[in-house]
Amino acid sequence: MGDGVRGRHRLRRRRLHHGHRRGASVARGRLAAFDARTGALRSWAPSADGRVRAIAASGGLIYVAGEFGYVNGLRRDNLARLDAASGAVRGGLVHSVGGQPYALATGNGRLYVGGSISAVDGQARYRLAAFDLATGALDANWRPSAGATVQALAAAGDRVYVGGKFTGRVAAVHPASGAADPSFRPQASDEVRALAVTDAGVYAAHGGPGGRVVAYGLDGAGRWNLTMDGDPQAITVLDGIVYFGGHFDNVCRSPRTGYKGSCLDGSIRRVKLGAAVASDGELLPWTANGNGSAGVHALATSAALGKLGAGGAFTAINGAPRAYFAQFSL
């Protein structure tokens, strides 16, 4: 599935239904894996002693970040890499991280980390850091600075896109030097919760009064936007379709919102999940209504399998039981 998947459940350990033993449950310590084709629970079972907020995959390794101090009983300060087959903790990426990571992305031979980070191994970092994928070493040269929390990252081509609560909300930096890219100049006023990138543009899930999904050109110019009555918190793109998830119940018919983000000019029912045409933002009839209030926190796609995975604080999709995770064939 895709690089960026967030986990926000507060329970110390989660009981998961096993794909081969209906009704049985198997303990997992904040990390688990499922067969993307069948949905069966895999034996992959590393255990973290605190919340996992972000996951990225690259080269047979799984990178995890969050609020933990140990993984599989080994000291790992909020950042670790695991064997994708066995779940064993792999060496190299062992650092002292000041502050909390919220987002991960891989590309250009690096692991990019964003959050409320203030230092790595005693070296000052300003919400962003990068590590060598081969050795796990801190990249001494990649030192961009964000003025407030980074909540989203996406690495694509000769850019790393950064989203969050800082001034400007979304920006692009060079993948090797960390220098800001002045040719990407979006005009965004609300915080960014998630990012997705294609060859055609950048797609952002913005918070705010209500919330918005915004499509930007590669120059940062706004192309289209959709407004909801609650924040989108996850976004991904597959085959020309933008999928978005969050804690909204409706997509507004206009950008005008009122008290607590209510749609002022009518709305179209989409509960926690929605889909739109990537080129022009046309809302699609695809309906996968979730329940609960907190909604969807993570989305990932597999082009090879034609699948969309969604994770969050829901227990049903379109009325069918789906506890915290659902997968769709597209």
Side-chain angles (χ1 to χ4, degrees):
M1 305 295 274
D3 280 349
V5 179
R6 292 186 181 178
R8 296 178 182 266
H9 300 305
R10 297 179 181 273
L11 297 183
R12 188 168 184 272
R13 294 181 72 84
R14 171 71 63 192
R15 295 281 176 175
L16 297 170
H17 290 292
H18 195 290
H20 298 295
R21 294 159 50 204
R22 191 172 186 84
S25 61
V26 180
R28 288 292 185 268
R30 298 184 175 83
L31 288 158
F34 301 89
D35 188 296
R37 292 177 175 82
T38 67
L41 179 66
R42 304 295 296 270
S43 61
W44 194 80
S47 179
D49 70 339
R51 184 184 300 188
V52 174
R53 289 188 176 273
I55 299 176
S58 179
L61 296 171
I62 304 297
Y63 296 87
V64 296
E67 301 172 27
F68 50 80
Y70 290 86
V71 179
N72 291 351
L74 299 175
R75 181 64 179 162
R76 291 294 186 273
D77 187 10
N78 298 331
L79 189 63
R81 62 179 175 183
L82 310 171
D83 189 280
S86 69
V89 177
R90 298 287 290 270
L93 193 69
V94 184
H95 299 279
S96 174
V97 180
Q100 296 298 319
Y102 290 96
L104 296 175
T106 60
N108 307 288
R110 294 172 177 83
L111 172 70
Y112 300 100
V113 183
S116 61
I117 299 165
S118 59
V120 177
D121 299 335
Q123 300 182 39
R125 289 294 186 273
Y126 300 96
R127 269 63 68 178
L128 290 158
F131 302 85
D132 187 284
L133 279 178
T135 67
L138 177 66
D139 188 324
N141 298 318
W142 199 80
R143 304 184 65 164
S145 174
T149 302
V150 170
Q151 301 183 131
L153 291 171
D158 59 355
R159 287 174 172 174
V160 177
Y161 295 92
V162 182
K165 297 182 177 181
F166 52 86
T167 301
R169 313 305 187 190
V170 59
V173 299
H174 192 275
S177 71
D181 186 337
S183 66
F184 183 73
R185 305 171 72 95
Q187 300 293 320
S189 58
D190 299 309
E191 68 177 285
V192 171
R193 301 289 189 87
L195 291 169
V197 182
T198 70
D199 292 340
V202 181
Y203 304 87
H206 286 272
R212 294 179 300 137
V213 169
V214 180
Y216 298 97
L218 295 177
D219 59 355
R223 293 167 45 215
W224 56 260
N225 72 81
L226 292 174
T227 301
M228 292 110 223
D229 62 356
D231 290 351
Q233 301 166 151
I235 195 164
T236 190
V237 185
L238 181 65
D239 293 337
I241 305 299
V242 178
Y243 298 91
F244 51 93
H247 62 79
F248 52 86
D249 293 329
N250 297 281
V251 174
C252 301
R253 293 187 180 275
S254 83
R256 297 199 320 131
T257 56
Y259 179 67
K260 292 186 176 181
S262 60
C263 302
L264 294 180
D265 298 316
S267 62
I268 303 168
R269 191 73 167 164
R270 293 291 186 275
V271 186
K272 311 304 186 283
L273 285 161
V277 178
S279 59
D280 60 12
E282 177 189 355
L283 186 67
L284 292 172
W286 185 79
T287 304
N289 290 337
N291 66 345
S293 58
V296 173
H297 291 294
L299 291 172
T301 53
S302 168
L305 298 177
K307 302 281 190 181
L308 168 71
F314 53 84
T315 58
I317 299 291
N318 287 338
R322 292 292 185 275
Y324 312 112
F325 181 81
Q327 183 166 270
F328 306 88
S329 294
L330 303 177

